[in-house]
Amino acid sequence: AGLRPFSPVHLRAVRDPSGNITFSWIRRARVNGDSWQQLDVPLNEETEAYEIDIMSGATVKRTLNSAAPSVVYSAAQEIADFGSAQTTHTIRVMQMSNVFGRGTYRESVLNV
């Protein structure tokens, strides 16, 4: 359990004029993440990778993957998943670990 990545923090959502939504977050670190002199915490993993679950109640409608602390949920994906553009989305974001797999998720209801 000590190798499980912490949940990301500060989840945000921004819809662009074409209807795409960019979800973003800030990762946390298990090791050496408390220095006030660094702009970003250390990665603590071989690669930076995340999985983002788009939720509808308790059901995962879609899982997106990202190699950066943001991901684009396209307008076409949203229409396919929900039938129309939504004003809020519940998402779960977790950092991936080559050793542990999915880390602890952060869930948030975001206005878009």
Side-chain angles (χ1 to χ4, degrees), residues 25 29 51-52 55 68 90 109 111:
W25 54 88
E51 287 190 355
I52 303 88
M55 307 298 295
T90 301
V109 178
N111 295 318

Side-chain angles (χ1 to χ4, degrees), residues 33-87:
D34 58 355
S35 173
W36 290 96
Q37 297 174 353
Q38 299 171 336
L39 294 176
D40 201 4
V41 297
L43 181 57
N44 295 151
E45 301 295 337
E46 289 181 33
T47 59
E48 189 165 16
Y50 302 92
E51 287 190 355
I52 303 88
D53 289 340
I54 310 295
M55 307 298 295
S56 177
T59 303
V60 176
K61 295 295 272 186
R62 182 180 300 267
T63 299
L64 303 171
N65 297 292
S66 180
S70 67
V71 69
V72 174
Y73 183 44
S74 74
Q77 291 171 322
E78 183 180 27
I79 298 297
D81 294 344
F82 295 98
S84 65
Q86 305 295 294
T87 57

Side-chain angles (χ1 to χ4, degrees), residues 85-97:
Q86 305 295 294
T87 57
T88 63
H89 278 291
T90 301
I91 66 168
R92 292 179 178 172
V93 180
M94 59 239 63
Q95 186 173 0
M96 301 298 294
S97 166

